[in-house]
Amino acid sequence: MHDQMARIESHIESHQHMAGALMPLLHAIQDDLGYIPEECYGVIAKALNLSVAEIHGVVTFYHHFRSHPPGRHVLQVCRAESCQAMGCGALETHVKSSLGIDYHETTSDGSITLEPVYCLGNCACSPTIMLDDEVYGRVSPQQVESLLANARRENP
C-alpha cells in the first residue's frame, strides 16, 4: 500500500496545478493501478481543494472508473443500441452464466472482471466486446468463450 500511495502522490504532483485536474488525475491513477483506491480520496481532495464527497461522486458517477482492483483481464460487453439490436442481450446472458458473475464483479479466481460499456465505436460490427484493450466485433458466445480461454491460458 505504501508503494501504491507513493505512485498516487506522484500523479497528484503531476496534475494538481492543471485547470480541471480531477478527471485527468483519476484517469492517470486508474491507468497506473487499474482502479482508484477509496483510501486515496482524502489525499486527492486535499490536493485539489475538493471534498471527499466530490471525489467519491465523480468516481462512482462515471462507469469507467473502478474503486476495486480488477481481475487480470477485463471483459467489456457493449450495451449500446446497435449492439442490443444485434443480440448483445443473449451474449451478455451467456457470458454472465458462463463466468458465474454479474457486471462489476470478478470471477472467484481473479481472472476476469465483467463490465458493461455504452459504445465501443464499432457499431457496424455489432455485437462488440473489448477484452483488455482489444476490440472484437460480430462476436458469438462461442467466440467470447474462446477469447476468454486463451486469455486465461496466456496469463493465468
Side-chain angles (χ1 to χ4, degrees), residues 64-130:
H64 173 75
F65 294 128
R66 297 181 205 99
S67 57
H68 302 290
R72 289 181 297 284
H73 302 282
V74 176
L75 174 63
Q76 295 180 316
V77 178
C78 182
R79 298 285 304 126
E81 290 80 2
S82 176
C83 286
Q84 287 184 36
M86 296 303 290
C88 78
L91 179 68
E92 73 179 335
T93 298
H94 176 83
V95 168
K96 288 177 180 181
S97 174
S98 172
L99 294 174
I101 59 173
D102 203 344
Y103 285 129
H104 308 290
E105 294 179 351
T106 300
T107 55
S108 60
D109 66 358
S111 65
I112 309 289
T113 294
L114 181 61
E115 297 180 342
V117 64
Y118 297 91
C119 197
L120 290 166
N122 199 34
C123 301
C125 297
S126 298
T128 299
I129 64 162
M130 186 160 67

Side-chain angles (χ1 to χ4, degrees), residues 23-39:
M23 292 295 284
L25 172 59
L26 294 176
H27 279 285
I29 293 170
Q30 183 157 300
D31 288 349
D32 184 17
L33 304 178
Y35 73 112
I36 303 161
E38 292 181 34
E39 300 79 31

